[in-house]
Amino acid sequence: METKLTLKLDQKVINSAKKYAENNNRSLSKLVEDYFKNLLSENTQEEEYPPLVKKLSGIISENDLKKLSKDDDRVKYILGEKA
C-alpha cells in the first residue's frame, strides 16, 4: 500500500535530488523509498563474515598480542593503538 509522505528539506538538496533522479531514470519518491529500505536493511542484517574469519575469530587474545612486541606496528594496529 502506498501512502503519501511530506518532507521538509533544503531547496538545494531537493533540486540536486531531482536532477540525480532524472539522470538515473527514477522518480524522487523511488529514491527516497530505496534509501529507507537500504537504511532499514543495514540495521537488521548481521554482518556476515567468511568462514575462515569466523574460525580465526578470538584465537589470539589481547594479552597475547601485547606479549608479542610493543614495537611491532602490526600489533599496534590490531590493538587500535597509533603506530
Side-chain angles (χ1 to χ4, degrees):
M1 177 175 82
E2 292 187 6
T3 305
K4 190 173 186 174
L5 171 67
T6 303
L7 301 172
K8 291 184 180 182
L9 303 172
D10 183 278
Q11 189 62 47
K12 290 179 183 178
V13 172
I14 294 170
N15 293 340
S16 295
K18 284 181 178 181
K19 285 181 186 177
Y20 178 88
E22 184 179 339
N23 290 338
N24 289 280
N25 298 317
R26 299 169 76 189
S27 69
L28 192 52
S29 292
K30 182 66 176 155
L31 284 180
V32 173
E33 180 180 0
D34 289 346
Y35 172 75
F36 284 141
K37 285 180 179 178
N38 186 39
L39 184 69
L40 295 171
S41 70
E42 286 178 5
N43 289 336
T44 58
Q45 290 178 347
E46 285 190 30
E47 197 166 337
E48 186 63 30
Y49 296 103
L52 179 60
V53 173
K54 287 180 182 178
K55 189 174 183 179
L56 295 174
S57 179
I59 227 171
I60 299 175
S61 71
E62 190 171 326
N63 288 333
D64 291 336
L65 284 172
K66 288 180 180 178
K67 290 177 192 175
L68 291 175
S69 172
K70 293 190 179 201
D71 296 327
D72 189 331
D73 287 341
R74 294 170 294 178
V75 174
K76 287 180 181 179
Y77 176 79
I78 292 169
L79 293 174
E81 300 172 0
K82 291 188 178 182

